[in-house]
Amino acid sequence: MEEIKNEIIHSFGNKLRIRACGICIEDNKILLVKHHSLGKGGILWAPPGGGMVFGETTEQALKREFVEETGLNVSIEKFLCVNEYLVPPLHAIELFFIVKKIDGTMLTGVDPELHKDRQIITEVKWLSFEQLKKIPTEAIHSMLHGVTNSEELYQRSGYFSNI
């Protein structure tokens, strides 16, 4: 476990990252990725997304991250909002978009930045908003706090923060 935390710090920590993230809802369920060794409680359910690579557009980064983490191809429908995520040693400015699944086969993906034996993605799942309410708040990405349905989520705009 300590090796994983050290690798997270080495790969993602102690620097500001720009992340592209996607809100994908189908049949009133939201697609989320479960990570271990992240968040205040050691588990974090979050929308798919990840760090942008120099020279890559936001759209390219978001589509790449969806394939890496979920196996799904998506189209980007519209920009939603900005979220600042700060849980030391992680600090990110996250650009959230509404996306739509095009095709692909859902799978539990990987973080290519991490060694194959120290992956932190443990599950990819469509969750209803009722199921989301049953997960402890500290285990859910702050962008989803207090959201009870897809319409509330789609109405988010501006700047948000977990700080």
Side-chain angles (χ1 to χ4, degrees):
M1 185 65 110
E2 195 62 34
E3 282 183 19
I4 292 172
K5 288 187 179 191
N6 288 336
E7 189 155 349
I8 290 169
I9 292 168
H10 175 74
S11 296
F12 309 117
N14 299 312
K15 58 187 164 197
L16 179 63
R17 298 177 66 228
I18 306 296
R19 299 181 75 244
C21 306
I23 301 293
C24 188
I25 296 176
E26 222 177 64
D27 299 324
N28 209 28
K29 292 182 177 182
I30 185 168
L31 183 63
L32 295 177
V33 176
K34 183 179 182 183
H35 301 85
H36 74 84
S37 301
L38 288 183
K40 293 177 182 173
I43 297 290
L44 184 67
W45 284 93
M52 295 177 63
V53 177
F54 180 79
E56 182 178 51
T57 68
T58 307
E59 182 175 341
Q60 290 168 335
L62 185 52
K63 289 179 177 182
R64 174 184 49 76
E65 287 290 341
F66 256 82
V67 170
E68 288 174 0
E69 292 187 357
T70 72
L72 301 177
N73 292 301
V74 295
S75 64
I76 298 172
E77 302 296 305
K78 77 173 207 175
F79 176 71
L80 188 62
C81 62
V82 173
N83 183 70
E84 185 170 8
Y85 180 84
L86 179 55
V87 178
L90 304 178
H91 189 186
I93 302 299
E94 301 172 314
L95 307 172
F96 275 88
F97 295 83
I98 295 171
V99 302
K100 183 181 272 188
K101 181 180 88 172
I102 299 173
D103 61 22
T105 302
M106 195 164 83
L107 54 81
T108 299
V110 297
D111 275 308
E113 299 92 343
L114 301 176
H115 188 272
K116 67 178 182 171
D117 295 331
R118 292 188 280 280
Q119 290 294 308
I120 60 174
I121 296 174
T122 60
E123 190 175 357
V124 176
K125 190 172 185 177
W126 294 98
L127 292 173
S128 71
F129 288 90
E130 286 303 314
Q131 291 170 306
L132 197 57
K133 284 189 225 175
K134 295 176 183 173
I135 298 172
T137 303
E138 67 272 3
I140 300 170
H141 190 287
S142 61
M143 263 300 293
L144 303 174
H145 291 181
V147 175
T148 60
N149 59 57
S150 58
E151 286 308 311
E152 283 182 11
L153 191 51
Y154 289 153
Q155 296 304 313
R156 295 233 157 166
S157 66
Y159 168 82
F160 295 87
S161 173
N162 73 322
I163 302 169

